[in-house]
Amino acid sequence: MSNHVLLLIGTRKGLWLAHRRGGADWEVTGPHLPMAEIYAVAVDTRSAPRLLVGASSTHFGPSVVTSDDLGATWQEPEAAPIAFPDGTGAALERVWQLAPGPVDQPDVVYAGTEPSALFRSEDRGRTFELVRGLWDHPHREHWTPGFGGMAVHTVLPHPHDRERAVVAMSAGGVYRTADGGRSWQASNTGIKAYFYPDQYPEFGQCVHKIARHPAKPERFFLQNHHGVYRSDDDAATWQSIADGLPSDFGFPIVTHPHRPDVVYGFPLTADTTRYPPDGRCRVYRSEDAGESWTALSRGLPDRFWSAVMRDALCVDDADPAGVYFGSRSGEVYAGSGDGDDWRQVASHLPDVLSLRSAVV
Amino acid sequence: MRVTVLLPRLLREHADGAQRLEIEVQDATLGGVLDVLGRRHPGLERRLRDESRALRRYVNFYLDDAECRSLDGAASRVREGTEIRIIPSIAGG
């Protein structure tokens, strides 16, 4: 296995890349794609590594940019990679998620967008087509935007079954398909929506992020707008795993790449107090699928009034694995020992919106 | 009818480096000019308006001296010799 770990750092004003080779220090380069707002990054390693970036220009709109040489050069088709078809009455605002598809479909990549929609690519993310089954869902007219917009921000293709996938949006909740995207079912049983009179509606939850482990694909972890949950039945029902956390509010949640019972989150105090509890920078890790939680703090600051966004916490696929998070105050930290020890990779960047890492 | 489109530096790479484009149009509107541009330089046109053909909010289009939003937007009329100057607006932080 290569000893080159690549970390993509998407910020509000461009992309930075961090390379680590063997035991050497991190080497950070950038800005790449300067001034573009980078909500989505991905490293597709199912074949020769391809970097995918959802980049939005304030002036000139959104796009998807790719690199096949680890960021030395970037490519973009002449025509818009993602565009809503005529007749939808919609226009792409932003790409929130880029997700490589199943292992046995190495050319398939999915994109989650604002407005809430799912797009599918069969050329490794160069061009995409709208997944009509979700766009035509009768619930769509009832989905409502959260503060960040109305977006499909999470796309989790099944790692082996090309017919199955799960998406999440704010605020609409979790939807899943078992027929390749032709039909979608709301999948929010047990997830609370405290901001509605009926606090357990069929859909409308403000789900912030979901994670699944490829070795145990029927299990999911979910960070809600208040609430942390696990599903062990393919997202059909959800149970709270928030006990032991200092707060059930936060944005990201990720699983360990090799240990399906290990999950990480970054709690914030509450909906209206979006600081870490007591202003202390802490990643929380569970090693028993959310039954108990441990605060990870070695190497992290004690005074920290920033926050970690939904796609700014990630793991790599190295062995041993690395864990990473980026803050709205432009710092990036890398955790070794499954997150026991942390060191700073970068600081003084623009707000970090998205992170992804892989061995390349 | 022939009009001239003047491009800012940031967009010239999407028009083979050109600063100035001469465009023949049948539909004598700004939208008609952008339709022609879309066929010649799709990578340029998609940066000027989205797929619903709405003009991008932070791009200004001056038809001679008048910004198109003070006229009829994409339906603003152009005449023989009109200069369309494209200028990104002041935005961002």
Side-chain angles (χ1 to χ4, degrees), chain A residues 13 35 58-63 76-81 83-84 86 90-92, chain B residues 10-11 14 41-43 46-47 50-52 56 58-59 88-93:
Chain A
K13 294 185 185 179
M35 290 308 292
T58 303
H59 291 94
F60 305 126
S63 191
E76 191 180 354
E78 271 284 286
F84 282 87
D86 286 346
L92 181 68
Chain B
L10 277 172
L11 290 175
H14 305 293
H41 301 292
R46 72 179 168 93
R47 287 170 170 81
D50 66 31
E51 62 267 44
S52 73
R56 297 225 178 260
Y58 295 115
V59 178
S89 70
I90 46 173

PDB file of all heavy atoms in Angstrom, chain A residues 13 35 58-63 76-81 83-84 86 90-92, chain B residues 10-11 14 41-43 46-47 50-52 56 58-59 88-93:
ATOM      1  N   LYS A  13     -13.216  29.907   0.252  1.00  0.00           N
ATOM      2  CA  LYS A  13     -12.470  30.676  -0.754  1.00  0.00           C
ATOM      3  C   LYS A  13     -11.394  29.831  -1.408  1.00  0.00           C
ATOM      4  O   LYS A  13     -10.243  30.268  -1.505  1.00  0.00           O
ATOM      5  CB  LYS A  13     -11.828  31.909  -0.111  1.00  0.00           C
ATOM      6  CG  LYS A  13     -12.813  32.949   0.390  1.00  0.00           C
ATOM      7  CD  LYS A  13     -12.049  34.156   0.884  1.00  0.00           C
ATOM      8  CE  LYS A  13     -12.991  35.173   1.503  1.00  0.00           C
ATOM      9  NZ  LYS A  13     -12.242  36.339   2.017  1.00  0.00           N
ATOM     10  N   MET A  35     -10.844  31.315  -4.682  1.00  0.00           N
ATOM     11  CA  MET A  35     -12.093  32.060  -4.457  1.00  0.00           C
ATOM     12  C   MET A  35     -13.352  31.237  -4.715  1.00  0.00           C
ATOM     13  O   MET A  35     -14.453  31.724  -4.478  1.00  0.00           O
ATOM     14  CB  MET A  35     -12.133  33.367  -5.262  1.00  0.00           C
ATOM     15  CG  MET A  35     -11.159  34.427  -4.774  1.00  0.00           C
ATOM     16  SD  MET A  35     -11.300  34.748  -3.001  1.00  0.00           S
ATOM     17  CE  MET A  35     -12.905  35.520  -2.897  1.00  0.00           C
ATOM     18  N   THR A  58     -19.074  32.867  -6.911  1.00  0.00           N
ATOM     19  CA  THR A  58     -20.122  33.840  -6.606  1.00  0.00           C
ATOM     20  C   THR A  58     -20.660  34.473  -7.878  1.00  0.00           C
ATOM     21  O   THR A  58     -21.866  34.653  -8.034  1.00  0.00           O
ATOM     22  CB  THR A  58     -19.564  34.948  -5.695  1.00  0.00           C
ATOM     23  OG1 THR A  58     -19.045  34.345  -4.521  1.00  0.00           O
ATOM     24  CG2 THR A  58     -20.641  35.970  -5.333  1.00  0.00           C
ATOM     25  N   HIS A  59     -19.762  34.787  -8.797  1.00  0.00           N
ATOM     26  CA  HIS A  59     -20.192  35.463 -10.014  1.00  0.00           C
ATOM     27  C   HIS A  59     -20.698  34.502 -11.088  1.00  0.00           C
ATOM     28  O   HIS A  59     -21.712  34.757 -11.730  1.00  0.00           O
ATOM     29  CB  HIS A  59     -19.020  36.270 -10.603  1.00  0.00           C
ATOM     30  CG  HIS A  59     -18.639  37.447  -9.777  1.00  0.00           C
ATOM     31  ND1 HIS A  59     -17.642  37.396  -8.830  1.00  0.00           N
ATOM     32  CD2 HIS A  59     -19.130  38.704  -9.739  1.00  0.00           C
ATOM     33  CE1 HIS A  59     -17.533  38.581  -8.253  1.00  0.00           C
ATOM     34  NE2 HIS A  59     -18.428  39.396  -8.797  1.00  0.00           N
ATOM     35  N   PHE A  60     -19.971  33.397 -11.273  1.00  0.00           N
ATOM     36  CA  PHE A  60     -20.178  32.617 -12.496  1.00  0.00           C
ATOM     37  C   PHE A  60     -20.817  31.253 -12.269  1.00  0.00           C
ATOM     38  O   PHE A  60     -20.869  30.433 -13.191  1.00  0.00           O
ATOM     39  CB  PHE A  60     -18.842  32.465 -13.236  1.00  0.00           C
ATOM     40  CG  PHE A  60     -18.178  33.779 -13.513  1.00  0.00           C
ATOM     41  CD1 PHE A  60     -16.876  34.014 -13.113  1.00  0.00           C
ATOM     42  CD2 PHE A  60     -18.865  34.802 -14.145  1.00  0.00           C
ATOM     43  CE1 PHE A  60     -16.265  35.237 -13.356  1.00  0.00           C
ATOM     44  CE2 PHE A  60     -18.273  36.030 -14.388  1.00  0.00           C
ATOM     45  CZ  PHE A  60     -16.966  36.252 -13.988  1.00  0.00           C
ATOM     46  N   GLY A  61     -21.289  30.982 -11.045  1.00  0.00           N
ATOM     47  CA  GLY A  61     -22.091  29.800 -10.812  1.00  0.00           C
ATOM     48  C   GLY A  61     -21.308  28.562 -10.428  1.00  0.00           C
ATOM     49  O   GLY A  61     -20.084  28.573 -10.302  1.00  0.00           O
ATOM     50  N   PRO A  62     -22.072  27.447 -10.257  1.00  0.00           N
ATOM     51  CA  PRO A  62     -21.480  26.211  -9.759  1.00  0.00           C
ATOM     52  C   PRO A  62     -20.976  25.304 -10.877  1.00  0.00           C
ATOM     53  O   PRO A  62     -21.411  25.395 -12.017  1.00  0.00           O
ATOM     54  CB  PRO A  62     -22.663  25.552  -9.041  1.00  0.00           C
ATOM     55  CG  PRO A  62     -23.862  26.025  -9.814  1.00  0.00           C
ATOM     56  CD  PRO A  62     -23.530  27.391 -10.339  1.00  0.00           C
ATOM     57  N   SER A  63     -20.063  24.384 -10.498  1.00  0.00           N
ATOM     58  CA  SER A  63     -19.557  23.428 -11.458  1.00  0.00           C
ATOM     59  C   SER A  63     -18.934  22.249 -10.698  1.00  0.00           C
ATOM     60  O   SER A  63     -18.865  22.256  -9.472  1.00  0.00           O
ATOM     61  CB  SER A  63     -18.514  24.080 -12.363  1.00  0.00           C
ATOM     62  OG  SER A  63     -18.213  23.235 -13.454  1.00  0.00           O
ATOM     63  N   GLU A  76     -12.475  20.560 -16.616  1.00  0.00           N
ATOM     64  CA  GLU A  76     -13.885  20.881 -16.497  1.00  0.00           C
ATOM     65  C   GLU A  76     -14.472  20.861 -17.904  1.00  0.00           C
ATOM     66  O   GLU A  76     -13.896  21.463 -18.817  1.00  0.00           O
ATOM     67  CB  GLU A  76     -14.004  22.292 -15.898  1.00  0.00           C
ATOM     68  CG  GLU A  76     -15.364  22.674 -15.476  1.00  0.00           C
ATOM     69  CD  GLU A  76     -15.366  24.093 -14.882  1.00  0.00           C
ATOM     70  OE1 GLU A  76     -14.291  24.692 -14.723  1.00  0.00           O
ATOM     71  OE2 GLU A  76     -16.466  24.574 -14.631  1.00  0.00           O
ATOM     72  N   PRO A  77     -15.594  20.162 -18.124  1.00  0.00           N
ATOM     73  CA  PRO A  77     -16.152  20.161 -19.480  1.00  0.00           C
ATOM     74  C   PRO A  77     -16.685  21.531 -19.882  1.00  0.00           C
ATOM     75  O   PRO A  77     -16.973  22.365 -19.027  1.00  0.00           O
ATOM     76  CB  PRO A  77     -17.285  19.134 -19.394  1.00  0.00           C
ATOM     77  CG  PRO A  77     -17.519  18.864 -17.962  1.00  0.00           C
ATOM     78  CD  PRO A  77     -16.350  19.346 -17.178  1.00  0.00           C
ATOM     79  N   GLU A  78     -16.792  21.745 -21.191  1.00  0.00           N
ATOM     80  CA  GLU A  78     -17.354  23.010 -21.694  1.00  0.00           C
ATOM     81  C   GLU A  78     -18.793  23.192 -21.222  1.00  0.00           C
ATOM     82  O   GLU A  78     -19.154  24.221 -20.682  1.00  0.00           O
ATOM     83  CB  GLU A  78     -17.341  23.001 -23.224  1.00  0.00           C
ATOM     84  CG  GLU A  78     -16.090  23.529 -23.864  1.00  0.00           C
ATOM     85  CD  GLU A  78     -16.040  25.044 -23.807  1.00  0.00           C
ATOM     86  OE1 GLU A  78     -16.769  25.702 -24.553  1.00  0.00           O
ATOM     87  OE2 GLU A  78     -15.260  25.560 -22.994  1.00  0.00           O
ATOM     88  N   ALA A  79     -19.607  22.163 -21.428  1.00  0.00           N
ATOM     89  CA  ALA A  79     -20.999  22.240 -20.976  1.00  0.00           C
ATOM     90  C   ALA A  79     -21.044  22.000 -19.464  1.00  0.00           C
ATOM     91  O   ALA A  79     -20.148  21.368 -18.906  1.00  0.00           O
ATOM     92  CB  ALA A  79     -21.839  21.198 -21.702  1.00  0.00           C
ATOM     93  N   ALA A  80     -22.084  22.516 -18.831  1.00  0.00           N
ATOM     94  CA  ALA A  80     -22.201  22.376 -17.380  1.00  0.00           C
ATOM     95  C   ALA A  80     -22.245  20.895 -16.996  1.00  0.00           C
ATOM     96  O   ALA A  80     -23.066  20.146 -17.534  1.00  0.00           O
ATOM     97  CB  ALA A  80     -23.453  23.082 -16.896  1.00  0.00           C
ATOM     98  N   PRO A  81     -21.387  20.451 -16.077  1.00  0.00           N
ATOM     99  CA  PRO A  81     -21.410  19.037 -15.685  1.00  0.00           C
ATOM    100  C   PRO A  81     -22.747  18.630 -15.061  1.00  0.00           C
ATOM    101  O   PRO A  81     -23.209  17.508 -15.256  1.00  0.00           O
ATOM    102  CB  PRO A  81     -20.275  18.927 -14.666  1.00  0.00           C
ATOM    103  CG  PRO A  81     -19.394  20.108 -14.915  1.00  0.00           C
ATOM    104  CD  PRO A  81     -20.295  21.184 -15.424  1.00  0.00           C
ATOM    105  N   ALA A  83     -26.706  20.053 -14.668  1.00  0.00           N
ATOM    106  CA  ALA A  83     -27.708  21.060 -15.024  1.00  0.00           C
ATOM    107  C   ALA A  83     -29.085  20.421 -14.930  1.00  0.00           C
ATOM    108  O   ALA A  83     -29.267  19.267 -15.338  1.00  0.00           O
ATOM    109  CB  ALA A  83     -27.459  21.588 -16.435  1.00  0.00           C
ATOM    110  N   PHE A  84     -30.028  21.162 -14.409  1.00  0.00           N
ATOM    111  CA  PHE A  84     -31.407  20.663 -14.379  1.00  0.00           C
ATOM    112  C   PHE A  84     -31.974  20.689 -15.794  1.00  0.00           C
ATOM    113  O   PHE A  84     -31.787  21.669 -16.529  1.00  0.00           O
ATOM    114  CB  PHE A  84     -32.256  21.514 -13.441  1.00  0.00           C
ATOM    115  CG  PHE A  84     -32.030  21.191 -11.997  1.00  0.00           C
ATOM    116  CD1 PHE A  84     -31.017  21.805 -11.287  1.00  0.00           C
ATOM    117  CD2 PHE A  84     -32.809  20.242 -11.354  1.00  0.00           C
ATOM    118  CE1 PHE A  84     -30.786  21.495  -9.959  1.00  0.00           C
ATOM    119  CE2 PHE A  84     -32.588  19.924 -10.028  1.00  0.00           C
ATOM    120  CZ  PHE A  84     -31.572  20.551  -9.328  1.00  0.00           C
ATOM    121  N   ASP A  86     -34.546  20.931 -19.018  1.00  0.00           N
ATOM    122  CA  ASP A  86     -35.684  21.793 -19.377  1.00  0.00           C
ATOM    123  C   ASP A  86     -36.953  21.192 -18.801  1.00  0.00           C
ATOM    124  O   ASP A  86     -37.141  19.978 -18.791  1.00  0.00           O
ATOM    125  CB  ASP A  86     -35.824  21.883 -20.898  1.00  0.00           C
ATOM    126  CG  ASP A  86     -34.738  22.754 -21.504  1.00  0.00           C
ATOM    127  OD1 ASP A  86     -34.069  23.482 -20.746  1.00  0.00           O
ATOM    128  OD2 ASP A  86     -34.541  22.672 -22.730  1.00  0.00           O
ATOM    129  N   ALA A  90     -35.921  24.467 -12.618  1.00  0.00           N
ATOM    130  CA  ALA A  90     -34.919  24.620 -11.564  1.00  0.00           C
ATOM    131  C   ALA A  90     -33.567  24.929 -12.192  1.00  0.00           C
ATOM    132  O   ALA A  90     -33.325  24.658 -13.372  1.00  0.00           O
ATOM    133  CB  ALA A  90     -34.824  23.347 -10.734  1.00  0.00           C
ATOM    134  N   ALA A  91     -32.689  25.487 -11.372  1.00  0.00           N
ATOM    135  CA  ALA A  91     -31.305  25.743 -11.785  1.00  0.00           C
ATOM    136  C   ALA A  91     -30.393  25.378 -10.628  1.00  0.00           C
ATOM    137  O   ALA A  91     -30.723  25.616  -9.459  1.00  0.00           O
ATOM    138  CB  ALA A  91     -31.120  27.208 -12.172  1.00  0.00           C
ATOM    139  N   LEU A  92     -29.259  24.812 -10.971  1.00  0.00           N
ATOM    140  CA  LEU A  92     -28.316  24.383  -9.935  1.00  0.00           C
ATOM    141  C   LEU A  92     -27.785  25.579  -9.156  1.00  0.00           C
ATOM    142  O   LEU A  92     -27.288  26.543  -9.738  1.00  0.00           O
ATOM    143  CB  LEU A  92     -27.146  23.629 -10.588  1.00  0.00           C
ATOM    144  CG  LEU A  92     -26.083  23.101  -9.628  1.00  0.00           C
ATOM    145  CD1 LEU A  92     -26.644  21.985  -8.761  1.00  0.00           C
ATOM    146  CD2 LEU A  92     -24.858  22.627 -10.397  1.00  0.00           C
TER     147      LEU A  92
ATOM    148  N   LEU B  10     -11.350  37.795 -16.718  1.00  0.00           N
ATOM    149  CA  LEU B  10     -11.645  36.521 -16.059  1.00  0.00           C
ATOM    150  C   LEU B  10     -12.349  35.523 -16.972  1.00  0.00           C
ATOM    151  O   LEU B  10     -12.280  34.319 -16.742  1.00  0.00           O
ATOM    152  CB  LEU B  10     -12.558  36.773 -14.843  1.00  0.00           C
ATOM    153  CG  LEU B  10     -11.893  37.196 -13.550  1.00  0.00           C
ATOM    154  CD1 LEU B  10     -12.967  37.579 -12.523  1.00  0.00           C
ATOM    155  CD2 LEU B  10     -11.015  36.083 -12.997  1.00  0.00           C
ATOM    156  N   LEU B  11     -13.048  35.999 -17.974  1.00  0.00           N
ATOM    157  CA  LEU B  11     -13.860  35.106 -18.807  1.00  0.00           C
ATOM    158  C   LEU B  11     -13.234  34.805 -20.165  1.00  0.00           C
ATOM    159  O   LEU B  11     -13.751  33.978 -20.910  1.00  0.00           O
ATOM    160  CB  LEU B  11     -15.255  35.714 -19.017  1.00  0.00           C
ATOM    161  CG  LEU B  11     -16.148  35.725 -17.775  1.00  0.00           C
ATOM    162  CD1 LEU B  11     -17.457  36.452 -18.066  1.00  0.00           C
ATOM    163  CD2 LEU B  11     -16.437  34.315 -17.292  1.00  0.00           C
ATOM    164  N   HIS B  14     -12.540  31.318 -21.650  1.00  0.00           N
ATOM    165  CA  HIS B  14     -13.673  30.515 -22.115  1.00  0.00           C
ATOM    166  C   HIS B  14     -14.147  30.941 -23.509  1.00  0.00           C
ATOM    167  O   HIS B  14     -15.154  30.454 -24.003  1.00  0.00           O
ATOM    168  CB  HIS B  14     -14.830  30.612 -21.112  1.00  0.00           C
ATOM    169  CG  HIS B  14     -14.405  30.235 -19.722  1.00  0.00           C
ATOM    170  ND1 HIS B  14     -14.028  28.958 -19.391  1.00  0.00           N
ATOM    171  CD2 HIS B  14     -14.244  30.989 -18.605  1.00  0.00           C
ATOM    172  CE1 HIS B  14     -13.674  28.918 -18.105  1.00  0.00           C
ATOM    173  NE2 HIS B  14     -13.793  30.141 -17.610  1.00  0.00           N
ATOM    174  N   HIS B  41     -19.591  29.246 -27.634  1.00  0.00           N
ATOM    175  CA  HIS B  41     -18.733  29.108 -26.456  1.00  0.00           C
ATOM    176  C   HIS B  41     -19.589  28.694 -25.246  1.00  0.00           C
ATOM    177  O   HIS B  41     -19.875  29.520 -24.367  1.00  0.00           O
ATOM    178  CB  HIS B  41     -18.027  30.442 -26.140  1.00  0.00           C
ATOM    179  CG  HIS B  41     -17.178  30.961 -27.245  1.00  0.00           C
ATOM    180  ND1 HIS B  41     -16.010  30.337 -27.658  1.00  0.00           N
ATOM    181  CD2 HIS B  41     -17.318  32.057 -28.046  1.00  0.00           C
ATOM    182  CE1 HIS B  41     -15.471  31.026 -28.651  1.00  0.00           C
ATOM    183  NE2 HIS B  41     -16.239  32.061 -28.914  1.00  0.00           N
ATOM    184  N   PRO B  42     -19.995  27.416 -25.186  1.00  0.00           N
ATOM    185  CA  PRO B  42     -20.883  27.002 -24.081  1.00  0.00           C
ATOM    186  C   PRO B  42     -20.262  27.218 -22.700  1.00  0.00           C
ATOM    187  O   PRO B  42     -20.971  27.501 -21.733  1.00  0.00           O
ATOM    188  CB  PRO B  42     -21.130  25.517 -24.364  1.00  0.00           C
ATOM    189  CG  PRO B  42     -20.119  25.100 -25.388  1.00  0.00           C
ATOM    190  CD  PRO B  42     -19.749  26.327 -26.142  1.00  0.00           C
ATOM    191  N   GLY B  43     -18.942  27.095 -22.609  1.00  0.00           N
ATOM    192  CA  GLY B  43     -18.289  27.302 -21.312  1.00  0.00           C
ATOM    193  C   GLY B  43     -18.351  28.750 -20.859  1.00  0.00           C
ATOM    194  O   GLY B  43     -18.268  29.042 -19.661  1.00  0.00           O
ATOM    195  N   ARG B  46     -22.472  29.510 -19.942  1.00  0.00           N
ATOM    196  CA  ARG B  46     -23.008  29.001 -18.672  1.00  0.00           C
ATOM    197  C   ARG B  46     -22.494  29.776 -17.478  1.00  0.00           C
ATOM    198  O   ARG B  46     -23.015  29.644 -16.383  1.00  0.00           O
ATOM    199  CB  ARG B  46     -22.722  27.514 -18.526  1.00  0.00           C
ATOM    200  CG  ARG B  46     -21.283  27.103 -18.260  1.00  0.00           C
ATOM    201  CD  ARG B  46     -21.257  25.583 -18.126  1.00  0.00           C
ATOM    202  NE  ARG B  46     -19.951  25.003 -18.150  1.00  0.00           N
ATOM    203  CZ  ARG B  46     -19.220  24.746 -17.069  1.00  0.00           C
ATOM    204  NH1 ARG B  46     -19.665  25.087 -15.870  1.00  0.00           N
ATOM    205  NH2 ARG B  46     -18.047  24.152 -17.174  1.00  0.00           N
ATOM    206  N   ARG B  47     -21.488  30.590 -17.687  1.00  0.00           N
ATOM    207  CA  ARG B  47     -21.027  31.457 -16.599  1.00  0.00           C
ATOM    208  C   ARG B  47     -21.788  32.785 -16.579  1.00  0.00           C
ATOM    209  O   ARG B  47     -21.623  33.585 -15.670  1.00  0.00           O
ATOM    210  CB  ARG B  47     -19.522  31.696 -16.733  1.00  0.00           C
ATOM    211  CG  ARG B  47     -18.742  30.434 -16.351  1.00  0.00           C
ATOM    212  CD  ARG B  47     -17.274  30.509 -16.689  1.00  0.00           C
ATOM    213  NE  ARG B  47     -16.545  29.393 -16.102  1.00  0.00           N
ATOM    214  CZ  ARG B  47     -16.490  28.160 -16.614  1.00  0.00           C
ATOM    215  NH1 ARG B  47     -17.108  27.888 -17.739  1.00  0.00           N
ATOM    216  NH2 ARG B  47     -15.835  27.192 -15.994  1.00  0.00           N
ATOM    217  N   ASP B  50     -27.786  30.777 -15.973  1.00  0.00           N
ATOM    218  CA  ASP B  50     -27.936  29.388 -15.571  1.00  0.00           C
ATOM    219  C   ASP B  50     -28.771  28.625 -16.591  1.00  0.00           C
ATOM    220  O   ASP B  50     -29.184  29.179 -17.627  1.00  0.00           O
ATOM    221  CB  ASP B  50     -28.495  29.288 -14.137  1.00  0.00           C
ATOM    222  CG  ASP B  50     -29.930  29.815 -14.029  1.00  0.00           C
ATOM    223  OD1 ASP B  50     -30.699  29.717 -14.999  1.00  0.00           O
ATOM    224  OD2 ASP B  50     -30.283  30.316 -12.950  1.00  0.00           O
ATOM    225  N   GLU B  51     -29.027  27.334 -16.291  1.00  0.00           N
ATOM    226  CA  GLU B  51     -29.696  26.481 -17.270  1.00  0.00           C
ATOM    227  C   GLU B  51     -31.159  26.845 -17.470  1.00  0.00           C
ATOM    228  O   GLU B  51     -31.784  26.381 -18.429  1.00  0.00           O
ATOM    229  CB  GLU B  51     -29.555  24.998 -16.894  1.00  0.00           C
ATOM    230  CG  GLU B  51     -30.180  24.572 -15.568  1.00  0.00           C
ATOM    231  CD  GLU B  51     -29.204  24.617 -14.407  1.00  0.00           C
ATOM    232  OE1 GLU B  51     -28.456  25.604 -14.289  1.00  0.00           O
ATOM    233  OE2 GLU B  51     -29.208  23.672 -13.592  1.00  0.00           O
ATOM    234  N   SER B  52     -31.712  27.665 -16.569  1.00  0.00           N
ATOM    235  CA  SER B  52     -33.086  28.145 -16.802  1.00  0.00           C
ATOM    236  C   SER B  52     -33.069  29.443 -17.610  1.00  0.00           C
ATOM    237  O   SER B  52     -34.102  30.064 -17.798  1.00  0.00           O
ATOM    238  CB  SER B  52     -33.795  28.366 -15.462  1.00  0.00           C
ATOM    239  OG  SER B  52     -33.291  29.514 -14.812  1.00  0.00           O
ATOM    240  N   ARG B  56     -27.004  35.462 -14.484  1.00  0.00           N
ATOM    241  CA  ARG B  56     -26.380  35.296 -13.173  1.00  0.00           C
ATOM    242  C   ARG B  56     -26.439  36.614 -12.425  1.00  0.00           C
ATOM    243  O   ARG B  56     -26.165  37.687 -12.978  1.00  0.00           O
ATOM    244  CB  ARG B  56     -24.945  34.806 -13.315  1.00  0.00           C
ATOM    245  CG  ARG B  56     -24.870  33.417 -13.974  1.00  0.00           C
ATOM    246  CD  ARG B  56     -23.937  32.501 -13.266  1.00  0.00           C
ATOM    247  NE  ARG B  56     -23.941  31.185 -13.897  1.00  0.00           N
ATOM    248  CZ  ARG B  56     -24.628  30.124 -13.436  1.00  0.00           C
ATOM    249  NH1 ARG B  56     -25.359  30.229 -12.344  1.00  0.00           N
ATOM    250  NH2 ARG B  56     -24.581  28.974 -14.057  1.00  0.00           N
ATOM    251  N   TYR B  58     -24.726  38.156 -10.186  1.00  0.00           N
ATOM    252  CA  TYR B  58     -23.585  39.042  -9.959  1.00  0.00           C
ATOM    253  C   TYR B  58     -22.765  39.273 -11.230  1.00  0.00           C
ATOM    254  O   TYR B  58     -21.572  39.510 -11.177  1.00  0.00           O
ATOM    255  CB  TYR B  58     -22.713  38.501  -8.830  1.00  0.00           C
ATOM    256  CG  TYR B  58     -23.435  38.510  -7.501  1.00  0.00           C
ATOM    257  CD1 TYR B  58     -23.742  37.328  -6.842  1.00  0.00           C
ATOM    258  CD2 TYR B  58     -23.838  39.710  -6.919  1.00  0.00           C
ATOM    259  CE1 TYR B  58     -24.423  37.330  -5.637  1.00  0.00           C
ATOM    260  CE2 TYR B  58     -24.524  39.733  -5.720  1.00  0.00           C
ATOM    261  CZ  TYR B  58     -24.809  38.539  -5.080  1.00  0.00           C
ATOM    262  OH  TYR B  58     -25.495  38.563  -3.886  1.00  0.00           O
ATOM    263  N   VAL B  59     -23.437  39.170 -12.359  1.00  0.00           N
ATOM    264  CA  VAL B  59     -22.809  39.560 -13.616  1.00  0.00           C
ATOM    265  C   VAL B  59     -23.665  40.676 -14.209  1.00  0.00           C
ATOM    266  O   VAL B  59     -24.882  40.530 -14.336  1.00  0.00           O
ATOM    267  CB  VAL B  59     -22.725  38.380 -14.607  1.00  0.00           C
ATOM    268  CG1 VAL B  59     -22.100  38.839 -15.927  1.00  0.00           C
ATOM    269  CG2 VAL B  59     -21.898  37.238 -14.016  1.00  0.00           C
ATOM    270  N   PRO B  88     -18.275  41.731 -14.152  1.00  0.00           N
ATOM    271  CA  PRO B  88     -18.679  41.137 -12.868  1.00  0.00           C
ATOM    272  C   PRO B  88     -18.972  42.247 -11.859  1.00  0.00           C
ATOM    273  O   PRO B  88     -18.245  43.243 -11.794  1.00  0.00           O
ATOM    274  CB  PRO B  88     -17.453  40.310 -12.446  1.00  0.00           C
ATOM    275  CG  PRO B  88     -16.678  40.094 -13.706  1.00  0.00           C
ATOM    276  CD  PRO B  88     -16.937  41.305 -14.562  1.00  0.00           C
ATOM    277  N   SER B  89     -20.022  42.065 -11.090  1.00  0.00           N
ATOM    278  CA  SER B  89     -20.375  43.098 -10.117  1.00  0.00           C
ATOM    279  C   SER B  89     -19.464  43.002  -8.903  1.00  0.00           C
ATOM    280  O   SER B  89     -18.733  42.024  -8.730  1.00  0.00           O
ATOM    281  CB  SER B  89     -21.832  42.958  -9.692  1.00  0.00           C
ATOM    282  OG  SER B  89     -21.980  41.802  -8.902  1.00  0.00           O
ATOM    283  N   ILE B  90     -19.520  44.022  -8.067  1.00  0.00           N
ATOM    284  CA  ILE B  90     -18.736  43.960  -6.838  1.00  0.00           C
ATOM    285  C   ILE B  90     -19.499  43.085  -5.872  1.00  0.00           C
ATOM    286  O   ILE B  90     -20.610  43.380  -5.466  1.00  0.00           O
ATOM    287  CB  ILE B  90     -18.468  45.368  -6.261  1.00  0.00           C
ATOM    288  CG1 ILE B  90     -19.746  46.211  -6.267  1.00  0.00           C
ATOM    289  CG2 ILE B  90     -17.375  46.062  -7.045  1.00  0.00           C
ATOM    290  CD1 ILE B  90     -19.585  47.538  -5.567  1.00  0.00           C
ATOM    291  N   ALA B  91     -18.917  41.945  -5.540  1.00  0.00           N
ATOM    292  CA  ALA B  91     -19.578  40.976  -4.647  1.00  0.00           C
ATOM    293  C   ALA B  91     -18.508  40.141  -3.983  1.00  0.00           C
ATOM    294  O   ALA B  91     -17.401  40.005  -4.496  1.00  0.00           O
ATOM    295  CB  ALA B  91     -20.525  40.083  -5.451  1.00  0.00           C
ATOM    296  N   GLY B  92     -18.856  39.558  -2.870  1.00  0.00           N
ATOM    297  CA  GLY B  92     -17.929  38.675  -2.174  1.00  0.00           C
ATOM    298  C   GLY B  92     -17.276  39.369  -0.997  1.00  0.00           C
ATOM    299  O   GLY B  92     -17.430  40.570  -0.795  1.00  0.00           O
ATOM    300  N   GLY B  93     -16.547  38.588  -0.208  1.00  0.00           N
ATOM    301  CA  GLY B  93     -15.932  39.155   0.988  1.00  0.00           C
ATOM    302  C   GLY B  93     -14.729  38.347   1.408  1.00  0.00           C
ATOM    303  O   GLY B  93     -14.309  37.465   0.688  1.00  0.00           O
TER     304      GLY B  93
END
